[in-house]
Amino acid sequence: MPRLLVPLVVLIGLLVPSSAALAAVPQARSAAPTFNGGVYAIAHRGATVYVGGAFTTATAGGRTYPRDRMAAFDSRTGKLLDWAPGADGVVRALAATPDSVYAAGDFHRIDGEPRDSLARLHPTSGELRSWRHTLAGTAYTLAVGNGRLYLGGSFADVSGQKRSNLAAFSLATGKLDAGWRPAADDTVHALAVTGPRVYLGGGFHTVNAVKGTLRLAGVNGVSGEVVPVFRPRVPAEVRAISLDPLGVHVATAGVGGRAIAYGWTGMMRWQRVFDGDASAIVTTGGITYVGGHFDNACLTERNGVKGGCVDGARARFKLAAVTSKGQLTGWAPTANGVIGVRVLSVNHVAGAIEAGGDFTTINGQDRRRFAAF
């Protein structure tokens, strides 16, 4: 089994929740800021939580502050920090390292300075740094590992160099990695890193034209070669990936979303079916947390032509939790909205599950676009 590093949104090691805690109605913490537009991305550096999305203001402590699509706060107190670089378009992904925060999305300027979809920022001042690249397409996901910043999306060119929906940059020099150039034939929505491996998910049919890499694949984080032993069979487009010691977990879209757990060879361990897209997933302490557009978790793996559960269901409004054996737990906070949850994260410092998206309430309480449990 590969040795796990810490992926961007999968921070492994929280205590296993007790059955009593899972059965109780989970309450969203009131200290975290709320936002006037969707939250698409969450990253951590120590106790600091960075969020990105489509918002233009953040509300904390009863006051509203301008925050153009990026903000940061202290997860221990909920205090909104002064970190406030302004992007002129949606921020879809964030990655934090000890000395930088990287952003990717639909923007063309940061604080009025030209930046084409990619930017590097100081982690405490928010000052724009000199790292600069161009992108012919759309960036969707970032991940850090092996001395590199990995990028996935829907693009054909990075800084004048051909790249097929995947690219990597040296964290030491900032340069585009000339040696890491795996090619996905369609969009990459999700990345996760463990040791020398990078797992990628999306709507692609193949990676490096290798059979058996439909929608989900593992590649070497240095060479870009496809991992030969990992051959999952994924039924729909992958929107998010999480890792734990037992293997790879994915959230899928399609007619009825799914949370699926695979072993390191790609053999399916379990799956849960929902009546709407699953768009976010994290795993910690033996529990897998799922977020998305769904309102119900199906009791069996069957659903109808429009995604509805065929053999009965349990209400799960945009959020659910599953055991390591695939059993639905009693953890069931109620989020509202159509889009619901876009991103989930585990905050190791605060001991919390964090959710971002387009919801405005959790269990009927005001939690606009961000909640921590």
PDB file of all heavy atoms in Angstrom, residues 339-368:
ATOM      1  N   ILE A 339     -28.022  23.662  -6.021  1.00  0.00           N
ATOM      2  CA  ILE A 339     -26.649  23.214  -6.223  1.00  0.00           C
ATOM      3  C   ILE A 339     -26.124  22.531  -4.970  1.00  0.00           C
ATOM      4  O   ILE A 339     -25.447  21.513  -5.033  1.00  0.00           O
ATOM      5  CB  ILE A 339     -25.734  24.385  -6.608  1.00  0.00           C
ATOM      6  CG1 ILE A 339     -26.194  24.999  -7.934  1.00  0.00           C
ATOM      7  CG2 ILE A 339     -24.285  23.930  -6.705  1.00  0.00           C
ATOM      8  CD1 ILE A 339     -26.148  24.061  -9.101  1.00  0.00           C
ATOM      9  N   GLY A 340     -26.435  23.092  -3.815  1.00  0.00           N
ATOM     10  CA  GLY A 340     -26.039  22.469  -2.563  1.00  0.00           C
ATOM     11  C   GLY A 340     -24.567  22.611  -2.270  1.00  0.00           C
ATOM     12  O   GLY A 340     -24.020  23.711  -2.255  1.00  0.00           O
ATOM     13  N   VAL A 341     -23.870  21.491  -2.066  1.00  0.00           N
ATOM     14  CA  VAL A 341     -22.469  21.478  -1.629  1.00  0.00           C
ATOM     15  C   VAL A 341     -21.550  21.274  -2.825  1.00  0.00           C
ATOM     16  O   VAL A 341     -21.720  20.329  -3.594  1.00  0.00           O
ATOM     17  CB  VAL A 341     -22.238  20.376  -0.578  1.00  0.00           C
ATOM     18  CG1 VAL A 341     -20.768  20.260  -0.223  1.00  0.00           C
ATOM     19  CG2 VAL A 341     -23.069  20.661   0.677  1.00  0.00           C
ATOM     20  N   ARG A 342     -20.541  22.139  -2.966  1.00  0.00           N
ATOM     21  CA  ARG A 342     -19.562  22.030  -4.047  1.00  0.00           C
ATOM     22  C   ARG A 342     -18.245  21.423  -3.583  1.00  0.00           C
ATOM     23  O   ARG A 342     -17.535  20.797  -4.367  1.00  0.00           O
ATOM     24  CB  ARG A 342     -19.269  23.416  -4.641  1.00  0.00           C
ATOM     25  CG  ARG A 342     -20.421  24.042  -5.400  1.00  0.00           C
ATOM     26  CD  ARG A 342     -19.994  25.385  -5.977  1.00  0.00           C
ATOM     27  NE  ARG A 342     -21.058  26.057  -6.706  1.00  0.00           N
ATOM     28  CZ  ARG A 342     -21.301  25.912  -7.996  1.00  0.00           C
ATOM     29  NH1 ARG A 342     -20.544  25.093  -8.712  1.00  0.00           N
ATOM     30  NH2 ARG A 342     -22.273  26.572  -8.590  1.00  0.00           N
ATOM     31  N   VAL A 343     -17.873  21.660  -2.331  1.00  0.00           N
ATOM     32  CA  VAL A 343     -16.560  21.240  -1.854  1.00  0.00           C
ATOM     33  C   VAL A 343     -16.637  20.846  -0.390  1.00  0.00           C
ATOM     34  O   VAL A 343     -17.398  21.444   0.384  1.00  0.00           O
ATOM     35  CB  VAL A 343     -15.517  22.369  -2.062  1.00  0.00           C
ATOM     36  CG1 VAL A 343     -15.900  23.635  -1.311  1.00  0.00           C
ATOM     37  CG2 VAL A 343     -14.122  21.919  -1.672  1.00  0.00           C
ATOM     38  N   LEU A 344     -15.886  19.818  -0.009  1.00  0.00           N
ATOM     39  CA  LEU A 344     -15.749  19.406   1.384  1.00  0.00           C
ATOM     40  C   LEU A 344     -14.269  19.365   1.738  1.00  0.00           C
ATOM     41  O   LEU A 344     -13.413  19.093   0.889  1.00  0.00           O
ATOM     42  CB  LEU A 344     -16.352  18.016   1.610  1.00  0.00           C
ATOM     43  CG  LEU A 344     -17.866  17.884   1.578  1.00  0.00           C
ATOM     44  CD1 LEU A 344     -18.269  16.413   1.630  1.00  0.00           C
ATOM     45  CD2 LEU A 344     -18.510  18.634   2.748  1.00  0.00           C
ATOM     46  N   SER A 345     -13.975  19.615   3.010  1.00  0.00           N
ATOM     47  CA  SER A 345     -12.601  19.573   3.472  1.00  0.00           C
ATOM     48  C   SER A 345     -12.578  19.121   4.923  1.00  0.00           C
ATOM     49  O   SER A 345     -13.547  19.320   5.660  1.00  0.00           O
ATOM     50  CB  SER A 345     -11.962  20.966   3.353  1.00  0.00           C
ATOM     51  OG  SER A 345     -10.623  20.943   3.785  1.00  0.00           O
ATOM     52  N   VAL A 346     -11.464  18.515   5.334  1.00  0.00           N
ATOM     53  CA  VAL A 346     -11.255  18.168   6.732  1.00  0.00           C
ATOM     54  C   VAL A 346     -10.232  19.130   7.304  1.00  0.00           C
ATOM     55  O   VAL A 346      -9.106  19.215   6.795  1.00  0.00           O
ATOM     56  CB  VAL A 346     -10.762  16.721   6.893  1.00  0.00           C
ATOM     57  CG1 VAL A 346     -10.561  16.396   8.368  1.00  0.00           C
ATOM     58  CG2 VAL A 346     -11.740  15.747   6.277  1.00  0.00           C
ATOM     59  N   ASN A 347     -10.619  19.873   8.326  1.00  0.00           N
ATOM     60  CA  ASN A 347      -9.718  20.808   8.998  1.00  0.00           C
ATOM     61  C   ASN A 347      -9.105  20.094  10.189  1.00  0.00           C
ATOM     62  O   ASN A 347      -9.754  19.892  11.212  1.00  0.00           O
ATOM     63  CB  ASN A 347     -10.479  22.060   9.430  1.00  0.00           C
ATOM     64  CG  ASN A 347      -9.564  23.128   9.967  1.00  0.00           C
ATOM     65  OD1 ASN A 347      -8.594  22.858  10.674  1.00  0.00           O
ATOM     66  ND2 ASN A 347      -9.881  24.376   9.660  1.00  0.00           N
ATOM     67  N   HIS A 348      -7.850  19.703  10.055  1.00  0.00           N
ATOM     68  CA  HIS A 348      -7.190  18.911  11.084  1.00  0.00           C
ATOM     69  C   HIS A 348      -6.955  19.719  12.358  1.00  0.00           C
ATOM     70  O   HIS A 348      -7.053  19.189  13.468  1.00  0.00           O
ATOM     71  CB  HIS A 348      -5.862  18.396  10.529  1.00  0.00           C
ATOM     72  CG  HIS A 348      -5.258  17.288  11.308  1.00  0.00           C
ATOM     73  ND1 HIS A 348      -5.960  16.174  11.694  1.00  0.00           N
ATOM     74  CD2 HIS A 348      -3.993  17.103  11.770  1.00  0.00           C
ATOM     75  CE1 HIS A 348      -5.164  15.359  12.363  1.00  0.00           C
ATOM     76  NE2 HIS A 348      -3.965  15.903  12.428  1.00  0.00           N
ATOM     77  N   VAL A 349      -6.655  20.996  12.214  1.00  0.00           N
ATOM     78  CA  VAL A 349      -6.372  21.850  13.370  1.00  0.00           C
ATOM     79  C   VAL A 349      -7.636  22.098  14.189  1.00  0.00           C
ATOM     80  O   VAL A 349      -7.633  21.988  15.417  1.00  0.00           O
ATOM     81  CB  VAL A 349      -5.748  23.191  12.924  1.00  0.00           C
ATOM     82  CG1 VAL A 349      -5.618  24.158  14.107  1.00  0.00           C
ATOM     83  CG2 VAL A 349      -4.387  22.950  12.284  1.00  0.00           C
ATOM     84  N   ALA A 350      -8.725  22.412  13.506  1.00  0.00           N
ATOM     85  CA  ALA A 350      -9.973  22.732  14.203  1.00  0.00           C
ATOM     86  C   ALA A 350     -10.803  21.508  14.531  1.00  0.00           C
ATOM     87  O   ALA A 350     -11.783  21.602  15.265  1.00  0.00           O
ATOM     88  CB  ALA A 350     -10.800  23.711  13.369  1.00  0.00           C
ATOM     89  N   GLY A 351     -10.429  20.341  13.975  1.00  0.00           N
ATOM     90  CA  GLY A 351     -11.218  19.133  14.206  1.00  0.00           C
ATOM     91  C   GLY A 351     -12.611  19.256  13.628  1.00  0.00           C
ATOM     92  O   GLY A 351     -13.605  18.978  14.297  1.00  0.00           O
ATOM     93  N   ALA A 352     -12.698  19.680  12.363  1.00  0.00           N
ATOM     94  CA  ALA A 352     -14.000  19.970  11.761  1.00  0.00           C
ATOM     95  C   ALA A 352     -14.075  19.472  10.331  1.00  0.00           C
ATOM     96  O   ALA A 352     -13.070  19.383   9.625  1.00  0.00           O
ATOM     97  CB  ALA A 352     -14.272  21.469  11.780  1.00  0.00           C
ATOM     98  N   ILE A 353     -15.296  19.130   9.920  1.00  0.00           N
ATOM     99  CA  ILE A 353     -15.615  18.921   8.514  1.00  0.00           C
ATOM    100  C   ILE A 353     -16.139  20.242   7.982  1.00  0.00           C
ATOM    101  O   ILE A 353     -17.066  20.827   8.553  1.00  0.00           O
ATOM    102  CB  ILE A 353     -16.692  17.828   8.341  1.00  0.00           C
ATOM    103  CG1 ILE A 353     -16.261  16.522   8.998  1.00  0.00           C
ATOM    104  CG2 ILE A 353     -17.007  17.615   6.859  1.00  0.00           C
ATOM    105  CD1 ILE A 353     -15.024  15.904   8.409  1.00  0.00           C
ATOM    106  N   GLU A 354     -15.559  20.729   6.881  1.00  0.00           N
ATOM    107  CA  GLU A 354     -15.969  22.007   6.312  1.00  0.00           C
ATOM    108  C   GLU A 354     -16.656  21.787   4.971  1.00  0.00           C
ATOM    109  O   GLU A 354     -16.233  20.937   4.181  1.00  0.00           O
ATOM    110  CB  GLU A 354     -14.750  22.914   6.127  1.00  0.00           C
ATOM    111  CG  GLU A 354     -14.082  23.265   7.441  1.00  0.00           C
ATOM    112  CD  GLU A 354     -12.727  23.911   7.278  1.00  0.00           C
ATOM    113  OE1 GLU A 354     -12.109  23.766   6.193  1.00  0.00           O
ATOM    114  OE2 GLU A 354     -12.264  24.540   8.244  1.00  0.00           O
ATOM    115  N   ALA A 355     -17.706  22.558   4.738  1.00  0.00           N
ATOM    116  CA  ALA A 355     -18.470  22.458   3.494  1.00  0.00           C
ATOM    117  C   ALA A 355     -18.611  23.836   2.870  1.00  0.00           C
ATOM    118  O   ALA A 355     -18.880  24.819   3.569  1.00  0.00           O
ATOM    119  CB  ALA A 355     -19.854  21.863   3.757  1.00  0.00           C
ATOM    120  N   GLY A 356     -18.433  23.899   1.558  1.00  0.00           N
ATOM    121  CA  GLY A 356     -18.670  25.129   0.817  1.00  0.00           C
ATOM    122  C   GLY A 356     -19.583  24.849  -0.356  1.00  0.00           C
ATOM    123  O   GLY A 356     -19.634  23.726  -0.866  1.00  0.00           O
ATOM    124  N   GLY A 357     -20.310  25.858  -0.793  1.00  0.00           N
ATOM    125  CA  GLY A 357     -21.201  25.646  -1.926  1.00  0.00           C
ATOM    126  C   GLY A 357     -22.127  26.814  -2.130  1.00  0.00           C
ATOM    127  O   GLY A 357     -21.740  27.976  -1.947  1.00  0.00           O
ATOM    128  N   ASP A 358     -23.386  26.505  -2.486  1.00  0.00           N
ATOM    129  CA  ASP A 358     -24.384  27.536  -2.762  1.00  0.00           C
ATOM    130  C   ASP A 358     -25.548  27.500  -1.782  1.00  0.00           C
ATOM    131  O   ASP A 358     -26.530  28.223  -1.964  1.00  0.00           O
ATOM    132  CB  ASP A 358     -24.889  27.372  -4.195  1.00  0.00           C
ATOM    133  CG  ASP A 358     -23.852  27.745  -5.230  1.00  0.00           C
ATOM    134  OD1 ASP A 358     -22.906  26.965  -5.436  1.00  0.00           O
ATOM    135  OD2 ASP A 358     -23.962  28.824  -5.821  1.00  0.00           O
ATOM    136  N   PHE A 359     -25.470  26.688  -0.754  1.00  0.00           N
ATOM    137  CA  PHE A 359     -26.518  26.652   0.268  1.00  0.00           C
ATOM    138  C   PHE A 359     -26.509  27.951   1.080  1.00  0.00           C
ATOM    139  O   PHE A 359     -25.498  28.664   1.140  1.00  0.00           O
ATOM    140  CB  PHE A 359     -26.314  25.447   1.191  1.00  0.00           C
ATOM    141  CG  PHE A 359     -24.944  25.379   1.817  1.00  0.00           C
ATOM    142  CD1 PHE A 359     -24.651  26.070   2.988  1.00  0.00           C
ATOM    143  CD2 PHE A 359     -23.933  24.623   1.235  1.00  0.00           C
ATOM    144  CE1 PHE A 359     -23.390  26.017   3.563  1.00  0.00           C
ATOM    145  CE2 PHE A 359     -22.670  24.546   1.796  1.00  0.00           C
ATOM    146  CZ  PHE A 359     -22.388  25.252   2.972  1.00  0.00           C
ATOM    147  N   THR A 360     -27.628  28.247   1.712  1.00  0.00           N
ATOM    148  CA  THR A 360     -27.704  29.432   2.578  1.00  0.00           C
ATOM    149  C   THR A 360     -28.071  29.078   4.010  1.00  0.00           C
ATOM    150  O   THR A 360     -27.877  29.894   4.913  1.00  0.00           O
ATOM    151  CB  THR A 360     -28.724  30.452   2.037  1.00  0.00           C
ATOM    152  OG1 THR A 360     -30.005  29.820   1.913  1.00  0.00           O
ATOM    153  CG2 THR A 360     -28.284  30.984   0.680  1.00  0.00           C
ATOM    154  N   THR A 361     -28.601  27.872   4.234  1.00  0.00           N
ATOM    155  CA  THR A 361     -28.919  27.452   5.600  1.00  0.00           C
ATOM    156  C   THR A 361     -28.449  26.017   5.831  1.00  0.00           C
ATOM    157  O   THR A 361     -28.386  25.208   4.904  1.00  0.00           O
ATOM    158  CB  THR A 361     -30.430  27.527   5.902  1.00  0.00           C
ATOM    159  OG1 THR A 361     -31.135  26.578   5.085  1.00  0.00           O
ATOM    160  CG2 THR A 361     -30.975  28.930   5.673  1.00  0.00           C
ATOM    161  N   ILE A 362     -28.123  25.715   7.089  1.00  0.00           N
ATOM    162  CA  ILE A 362     -27.854  24.363   7.553  1.00  0.00           C
ATOM    163  C   ILE A 362     -28.767  24.115   8.743  1.00  0.00           C
ATOM    164  O   ILE A 362     -28.749  24.882   9.713  1.00  0.00           O
ATOM    165  CB  ILE A 362     -26.385  24.173   7.979  1.00  0.00           C
ATOM    166  CG1 ILE A 362     -25.439  24.426   6.811  1.00  0.00           C
ATOM    167  CG2 ILE A 362     -26.184  22.776   8.567  1.00  0.00           C
ATOM    168  CD1 ILE A 362     -25.440  23.362   5.744  1.00  0.00           C
ATOM    169  N   ASN A 363     -29.590  23.093   8.667  1.00  0.00           N
ATOM    170  CA  ASN A 363     -30.567  22.803   9.717  1.00  0.00           C
ATOM    171  C   ASN A 363     -31.421  24.027  10.039  1.00  0.00           C
ATOM    172  O   ASN A 363     -31.787  24.275  11.184  1.00  0.00           O
ATOM    173  CB  ASN A 363     -29.872  22.312  10.989  1.00  0.00           C
ATOM    174  CG  ASN A 363     -29.112  21.023  10.778  1.00  0.00           C
ATOM    175  OD1 ASN A 363     -29.478  20.219   9.918  1.00  0.00           O
ATOM    176  ND2 ASN A 363     -28.047  20.821  11.532  1.00  0.00           N
ATOM    177  N   GLY A 364     -31.722  24.813   9.008  1.00  0.00           N
ATOM    178  CA  GLY A 364     -32.563  25.993   9.163  1.00  0.00           C
ATOM    179  C   GLY A 364     -31.855  27.218   9.698  1.00  0.00           C
ATOM    180  O   GLY A 364     -32.461  28.290   9.799  1.00  0.00           O
ATOM    181  N   GLN A 365     -30.562  27.105  10.017  1.00  0.00           N
ATOM    182  CA  GLN A 365     -29.801  28.229  10.549  1.00  0.00           C
ATOM    183  C   GLN A 365     -28.991  28.892   9.436  1.00  0.00           C
ATOM    184  O   GLN A 365     -28.561  28.244   8.484  1.00  0.00           O
ATOM    185  CB  GLN A 365     -28.853  27.750  11.652  1.00  0.00           C
ATOM    186  CG  GLN A 365     -29.546  27.056  12.810  1.00  0.00           C
ATOM    187  CD  GLN A 365     -30.533  27.964  13.526  1.00  0.00           C
ATOM    188  OE1 GLN A 365     -30.188  29.090  13.895  1.00  0.00           O
ATOM    189  NE2 GLN A 365     -31.752  27.480  13.723  1.00  0.00           N
ATOM    190  N   ASP A 366     -28.770  30.194   9.583  1.00  0.00           N
ATOM    191  CA  ASP A 366     -28.051  30.969   8.583  1.00  0.00           C
ATOM    192  C   ASP A 366     -26.595  30.514   8.481  1.00  0.00           C
ATOM    193  O   ASP A 366     -25.807  30.728   9.388  1.00  0.00           O
ATOM    194  CB  ASP A 366     -28.099  32.453   8.952  1.00  0.00           C
ATOM    195  CG  ASP A 366     -27.336  33.333   7.954  1.00  0.00           C
ATOM    196  OD1 ASP A 366     -27.065  32.857   6.840  1.00  0.00           O
ATOM    197  OD2 ASP A 366     -27.022  34.486   8.308  1.00  0.00           O
ATOM    198  N   ARG A 367     -26.236  29.853   7.393  1.00  0.00           N
ATOM    199  CA  ARG A 367     -24.851  29.469   7.128  1.00  0.00           C
ATOM    200  C   ARG A 367     -24.614  29.636   5.634  1.00  0.00           C
ATOM    201  O   ARG A 367     -24.517  28.666   4.882  1.00  0.00           O
ATOM    202  CB  ARG A 367     -24.574  28.011   7.543  1.00  0.00           C
ATOM    203  CG  ARG A 367     -24.649  27.730   9.004  1.00  0.00           C
ATOM    204  CD  ARG A 367     -23.801  28.633   9.865  1.00  0.00           C
ATOM    205  NE  ARG A 367     -22.445  28.807   9.369  1.00  0.00           N
ATOM    206  CZ  ARG A 367     -21.702  29.877   9.636  1.00  0.00           C
ATOM    207  NH1 ARG A 367     -22.196  30.873  10.353  1.00  0.00           N
ATOM    208  NH2 ARG A 367     -20.488  29.971   9.167  1.00  0.00           N
ATOM    209  N   ARG A 368     -24.535  30.864   5.194  1.00  0.00           N
ATOM    210  CA  ARG A 368     -24.482  31.172   3.761  1.00  0.00           C
ATOM    211  C   ARG A 368     -23.153  30.748   3.133  1.00  0.00           C
ATOM    212  O   ARG A 368     -22.122  31.322   3.391  1.00  0.00           O
ATOM    213  CB  ARG A 368     -24.721  32.663   3.537  1.00  0.00           C
ATOM    214  CG  ARG A 368     -26.187  33.073   3.667  1.00  0.00           C
ATOM    215  CD  ARG A 368     -26.323  34.568   3.799  1.00  0.00           C
ATOM    216  NE  ARG A 368     -25.870  35.014   5.124  1.00  0.00           N
ATOM    217  CZ  ARG A 368     -25.545  36.279   5.408  1.00  0.00           C
ATOM    218  NH1 ARG A 368     -25.597  37.199   4.475  1.00  0.00           N
ATOM    219  NH2 ARG A 368     -25.164  36.594   6.631  1.00  0.00           N
TER     220      ARG A 368
END
